[in-house]
Coordinates of all heavy atoms in Angstrom, one line a residue:
F1 N -29.8 -246.6 70.9 CA -30.0 -247.9 70.2 C -31.4 -248.0 69.5 O -31.5 -248.5 68.4 CB -30.0 -249.0 71.3 CG -28.7 -249.7 71.4 CD1 -28.2 -249.9 72.7 CD2 -27.9 -250.1 70.4 CE1 -26.9 -250.5 72.9 CE2 -26.7 -250.7 70.5 CZ -26.2 -250.9 71.8
F2 N -32.4 -247.5 70.2 CA -33.8 -247.7 69.7 C -34.5 -246.5 69.0 O -35.5 -246.7 68.3 CB -34.7 -248.2 70.8 CG -34.1 -249.5 71.4 CD1 -33.6 -249.6 72.7 CD2 -34.2 -250.7 70.7 CE1 -33.1 -250.7 73.2 CE2 -33.7 -251.9 71.2 CZ -33.1 -251.9 72.5
F3 N -33.9 -245.3 69.2 CA -34.5 -244.1 68.6 C -33.5 -243.3 68.0 O -33.3 -242.1 68.4 CB -35.3 -243.4 69.7 CG -36.3 -244.2 70.4 CD1 -36.0 -244.7 71.7 CD2 -37.5 -244.5 69.9 CE1 -37.0 -245.5 72.4 CE2 -38.5 -245.3 70.5 CZ -38.2 -245.8 71.8
P4 N -32.7 -243.8 67.1 CA -31.6 -243.1 66.5 C -32.0 -241.8 65.7 O -31.3 -240.8 65.8 CB -30.9 -244.0 65.5 CG -31.9 -245.1 65.2 CD -32.8 -245.2 66.5
Q5 N -33.2 -241.8 65.1 CA -33.7 -240.6 64.4 C -34.0 -239.5 65.4 O -33.6 -238.3 65.2 CB -34.9 -240.9 63.5 CG -35.3 -239.7 62.7 CD -34.2 -239.1 61.8 OE1 -33.7 -239.8 61.0 NE2 -33.9 -237.8 62.0
A6 N -34.5 -239.9 66.6 CA -34.8 -238.9 67.6 C -33.5 -238.3 68.1 O -33.4 -237.1 68.4 CB -35.6 -239.5 68.7
W7 N -32.5 -239.2 68.2 CA -31.1 -238.7 68.6 C -30.6 -237.6 67.6 O -30.2 -236.6 68.0 CB -30.2 -239.8 68.7 CG -28.8 -239.4 69.1 CD1 -27.8 -238.9 68.3 CD2 -28.3 -239.4 70.4 NE1 -26.7 -238.6 69.0 CE2 -26.9 -238.9 70.3 CE3 -28.8 -239.8 71.7 CZ2 -26.1 -238.7 71.5 CZ3 -27.9 -239.6 72.8 CH2 -26.6 -239.1 72.7
F8 N -30.7 -238.0 66.3 CA -30.2 -237.1 65.3 C -31.0 -235.8 65.3 O -30.5 -234.7 65.0 CB -30.1 -237.8 64.0 CG -28.8 -238.4 63.7 CD1 -28.3 -239.4 64.4 CD2 -28.0 -237.8 62.6 CE1 -27.0 -240.0 64.1 CE2 -26.7 -238.4 62.4 CZ -26.3 -239.4 63.1
D9 N -32.3 -235.9 65.5 CA -33.2 -234.7 65.6 C -32.7 -233.8 66.7 O -32.6 -232.6 66.5 CB -34.6 -235.1 65.8 CG -35.3 -235.7 64.6 OD1 -34.7 -235.6 63.5 OD2 -36.3 -236.4 64.7
A10 N -32.4 -234.3 67.9 CA -32.1 -233.6 69.0 C -30.7 -233.0 68.9 O -30.4 -231.8 69.3 CB -32.2 -234.4 70.3
F11 N -29.7 -233.8 68.4 CA -28.3 -233.3 68.4 C -27.8 -232.7 67.1 O -26.9 -232.0 67.1 CB -27.4 -234.5 68.9 CG -27.5 -234.8 70.3 CD1 -28.4 -235.7 70.8 CD2 -26.7 -234.1 71.2 CE1 -28.5 -236.0 72.1 CE2 -26.9 -234.4 72.6 CZ -27.8 -235.3 73.0
H12 N -28.4 -233.1 66.0 CA -27.9 -232.7 64.7 C -29.0 -232.0 63.8 O -28.6 -231.3 62.9 CB -27.4 -233.9 63.9 CG -26.3 -234.6 64.6 ND1 -25.0 -234.1 64.8 CD2 -26.3 -235.8 65.3 CE1 -24.3 -234.9 65.5 NE2 -25.0 -235.9 65.8
G13 N -30.2 -232.2 64.1 CA -31.3 -231.6 63.2 C -31.2 -232.1 61.8 O -31.6 -231.4 60.9
T14 N -30.8 -233.3 61.6 CA -30.7 -233.9 60.2 C -31.3 -235.3 60.2 O -31.6 -235.8 61.3 CB -29.2 -234.0 59.8 OG1 -28.5 -234.9 60.6 CG2 -28.5 -232.6 59.8
A15 N -31.4 -235.9 59.0 CA -31.8 -237.3 58.9 C -30.7 -238.2 59.5 O -29.6 -237.8 59.5 CB -32.0 -237.6 57.5
Y16 N -31.2 -239.3 60.0 CA -30.2 -240.3 60.6 C -29.4 -240.9 59.5 O -29.9 -241.8 58.7 CB -31.0 -241.3 61.4 CG -30.2 -242.5 61.9 CD1 -29.0 -242.2 62.7 CD2 -30.5 -243.8 61.7 CE1 -28.2 -243.2 63.2 CE2 -29.7 -244.8 62.2 CZ -28.6 -244.5 62.9 OH -27.8 -245.6 63.4
V17 N -28.2 -240.5 59.3 CA -27.3 -241.1 58.4 C -26.0 -241.3 59.2 O -25.4 -240.4 59.6 CB -27.0 -240.2 57.2 CG1 -26.0 -240.8 56.3 CG2 -28.3 -239.9 56.5
D18 N -25.7 -242.6 59.4 CA -24.5 -242.9 60.2 C -23.8 -244.1 59.6 O -23.8 -245.2 60.1 CB -25.0 -243.2 61.6 CG -23.9 -243.4 62.6 OD1 -22.7 -243.1 62.3 OD2 -24.2 -243.8 63.8
P19 N -23.1 -243.9 58.4 CA -22.5 -245.1 57.8 C -21.4 -245.8 58.6 O -21.2 -247.0 58.4 CB -21.9 -244.4 56.5 CG -21.8 -243.0 56.8 CD -22.8 -242.7 57.8
A20 N -20.8 -245.1 59.5 CA -19.8 -245.7 60.3 C -20.3 -246.3 61.6 O -19.6 -246.9 62.4 CB -18.7 -244.7 60.7
A21 N -21.6 -246.2 61.8 CA -22.3 -246.8 62.9 C -21.7 -246.3 64.3 O -21.6 -247.0 65.2 CB -22.3 -248.3 62.9
L22 N -21.4 -245.0 64.3 CA -20.9 -244.4 65.5 C -21.9 -244.3 66.6 O -21.5 -244.4 67.8 CB -20.2 -243.1 65.2 CG -18.9 -243.3 64.3 CD1 -18.3 -241.9 64.0 CD2 -17.9 -244.1 65.0
L23 N -23.1 -244.0 66.3 CA -24.2 -243.9 67.3 C -24.4 -245.2 68.0 O -24.4 -245.3 69.2 CB -25.5 -243.3 66.7 CG -26.6 -243.0 67.7 CD1 -26.1 -242.1 68.8 CD2 -27.8 -242.5 67.0
P24 N -24.6 -246.4 67.3 CA -24.7 -247.6 68.0 C -23.4 -248.0 68.8 O -23.5 -248.6 69.9 CB -25.0 -248.7 66.9 CG -25.5 -247.9 65.8 CD -24.9 -246.5 65.9
R25 N -22.3 -247.6 68.3 CA -21.0 -247.8 69.0 C -21.1 -247.0 70.4 O -20.7 -247.6 71.4 CB -19.8 -247.4 68.2 CG -18.5 -247.6 68.9 CD -17.4 -247.0 68.0 NE -16.1 -247.3 68.6 CZ -15.6 -246.7 69.6 NH1 -16.2 -245.8 70.3 NH2 -14.4 -247.0 70.1
A26 N -21.5 -245.8 70.3 CA -21.6 -245.0 71.5 C -22.6 -245.6 72.5 O -22.4 -245.7 73.7 CB -22.0 -243.5 71.2
A27 N -23.7 -246.1 71.9 CA -24.8 -246.8 72.8 C -24.2 -248.0 73.5 O -24.5 -248.3 74.6 CB -26.0 -247.1 71.9
A28 N -23.3 -248.7 72.7 CA -22.7 -249.9 73.4 C -21.8 -249.5 74.5 O -21.7 -250.1 75.6 CB -21.9 -250.7 72.3
S29 N -21.1 -248.4 74.3 CA -20.2 -247.8 75.4 C -21.1 -247.4 76.6 O -20.7 -247.8 77.8 CB -19.4 -246.6 74.9 OG -18.5 -247.0 74.0
W30 N -22.2 -246.7 76.4 CA -23.1 -246.4 77.5 C -23.6 -247.6 78.2 O -23.9 -247.6 79.4 CB -24.2 -245.4 77.0 CG -23.6 -244.1 76.5 CD1 -22.7 -243.3 77.2 CD2 -24.0 -243.4 75.4 NE1 -22.5 -242.2 76.4 CE2 -23.3 -242.2 75.4 CE3 -25.0 -243.6 74.4 CZ2 -23.4 -241.2 74.4 CZ3 -25.1 -242.7 73.4 CH2 -24.4 -241.5 73.4
T31 N -23.9 -248.6 77.4 CA -24.4 -249.9 78.0 C -23.3 -250.5 78.9 O -23.6 -251.0 80.0 CB -24.8 -250.9 76.9 OG1 -25.8 -250.3 76.1 CG2 -25.3 -252.2 77.5
G32 N -22.0 -250.4 78.5 CA -20.9 -250.8 79.3 C -20.8 -250.0 80.6 O -20.6 -250.6 81.7
F33 N -21.0 -248.7 80.5 CA -21.0 -247.8 81.6 C -22.1 -248.2 82.6 O -22.0 -248.3 83.8 CB -21.1 -246.4 81.2 CG -20.0 -245.8 80.4 CD1 -20.1 -244.5 79.9 CD2 -18.8 -246.5 80.2 CE1 -19.1 -244.0 79.1 CE2 -17.8 -246.0 79.4 CZ -18.0 -244.7 78.9
L34 N -23.3 -248.4 82.0 CA -24.5 -248.8 82.7 C -24.2 -250.1 83.5 O -24.6 -250.2 84.7 CB -25.7 -249.0 81.8 CG -26.9 -249.6 82.3 CD1 -27.6 -248.7 83.3 CD2 -27.9 -249.9 81.2
L35 N -23.6 -251.1 82.9 CA -23.3 -252.3 83.6 C -22.3 -252.1 84.8 O -22.6 -252.5 85.9 CB -22.7 -253.3 82.6 CG -22.2 -254.6 83.2 CD1 -23.4 -255.4 83.7 CD2 -21.5 -255.4 82.1
M36 N -21.2 -251.4 84.5 CA -20.3 -251.1 85.6 C -20.9 -250.3 86.8 O -20.7 -250.6 87.9 CB -19.1 -250.4 85.1 CG -18.2 -251.1 84.1 SD -17.4 -252.6 84.9 CE -18.5 -253.9 84.2
Q37 N -21.7 -249.3 86.4 CA -22.3 -248.5 87.4 C -23.4 -249.2 88.2 O -23.6 -249.0 89.4 CB -22.9 -247.2 86.8 CG -21.7 -246.3 86.3 CD -22.1 -245.3 85.3 OE1 -21.3 -244.4 85.1 NE2 -23.3 -245.3 84.8
S38 N -24.1 -250.1 87.5 CA -25.2 -251.0 88.2 C -24.5 -251.9 89.2 O -25.0 -252.1 90.3 CB -26.0 -251.7 87.1 OG -26.7 -250.9 86.3
I39 N -23.4 -252.6 88.7 CA -22.7 -253.4 89.7 C -22.2 -252.6 90.9 O -22.4 -253.1 92.0 CB -21.6 -254.2 89.0 CG1 -22.1 -255.1 87.9 CG2 -20.7 -254.9 90.0 CD1 -21.0 -255.7 87.0
A40 N -21.6 -251.5 90.6 CA -21.1 -250.6 91.7 C -22.3 -250.2 92.6 O -22.1 -250.2 93.9 CB -20.5 -249.4 91.1
L41 N -23.4 -249.9 92.1 CA -24.5 -249.5 92.9 C -24.9 -250.6 93.9 O -25.3 -250.3 95.1 CB -25.7 -249.2 92.0 CG -27.0 -248.7 92.7 CD1 -26.8 -247.4 93.5 CD2 -28.1 -248.4 91.7
V42 N -24.8 -251.9 93.5 CA -25.2 -253.0 94.3 C -24.0 -253.4 95.3 O -24.2 -253.8 96.4 CB -25.6 -254.2 93.5 CG1 -25.8 -255.4 94.3 CG2 -26.8 -253.9 92.7
R43 N -22.8 -253.3 94.8 CA -21.6 -253.8 95.5 C -20.7 -252.9 96.3 O -19.9 -253.3 97.1 CB -20.7 -254.6 94.6 CG -21.4 -255.6 93.7 CD -21.5 -257.0 94.2 NE -20.3 -257.3 94.9 CZ -20.3 -258.5 95.5 NH1 -21.2 -259.4 95.4 NH2 -19.2 -258.8 96.2
W44 N -20.9 -251.6 96.1 CA -19.9 -250.6 96.6 C -19.7 -250.6 98.1 O -18.7 -250.3 98.6 CB -20.1 -249.2 96.0 CG -21.2 -248.4 96.7 CD1 -22.5 -248.4 96.4 CD2 -21.0 -247.7 97.9 NE1 -23.2 -247.6 97.2 CE2 -22.3 -247.1 98.2 CE3 -19.9 -247.4 98.7 CZ2 -22.5 -246.3 99.3 CZ3 -20.2 -246.5 99.8 CH2 -21.4 -246.0 100.1
R45 N -20.8 -250.9 98.8 CA -20.7 -250.8 100.3 C -19.8 -251.9 100.9 O -19.1 -251.7 101.9 CB -22.0 -250.9 100.9 CG -22.9 -249.6 100.7 CD -24.1 -249.7 101.5 NE -25.0 -248.5 101.2 CZ -24.9 -247.3 101.8 NH1 -23.9 -247.1 102.7 NH2 -25.7 -246.4 101.5
M46 N -19.7 -253.0 100.2 CA -18.8 -254.1 100.7 C -17.5 -254.2 99.9 O -16.5 -254.7 100.5 CB -19.6 -255.5 100.6 CG -20.8 -255.5 101.4 SD -20.6 -255.1 103.2 CE -19.4 -256.3 103.7
E47 N -17.5 -253.6 98.7 CA -16.3 -253.6 97.9 C -16.1 -252.2 97.4 O -16.5 -251.9 96.3 CB -16.3 -254.6 96.8 CG -16.4 -256.1 97.3 CD -16.8 -257.0 96.2 OE1 -17.4 -256.7 95.2 OE2 -16.3 -258.2 96.3

């Protein structure tokens, strides 16, 4: 989300060009995973 050029440097070695906005879409998915896993971390012992 916040360092897309650093992402592209690490994974692609190119300038950040993402006309389909797939990187922010992936970040949104990881945020969803983060939410589910955070809830699980707090609740799993009782549920």
Side-chain angles (χ1 to χ4, degrees):
F1 267 133
F2 300 110
F3 306 102
Q5 184 57 58
W7 179 278
F8 266 67
D9 290 343
F11 288 91
H12 301 288
T14 64
Y16 174 55
V17 177
D18 189 8
L22 293 177
L23 185 57
R25 182 187 185 283
S29 292
W30 294 318
T31 302
F33 296 172
L34 172 65
L35 176 64
M36 293 297 101
Q37 293 162 168
S38 297
I39 293 170
L41 182 59
V42 172
R43 309 270 323 178
W44 79 266
R45 289 190 186 274
M46 297 309 299
E47 297 170 330

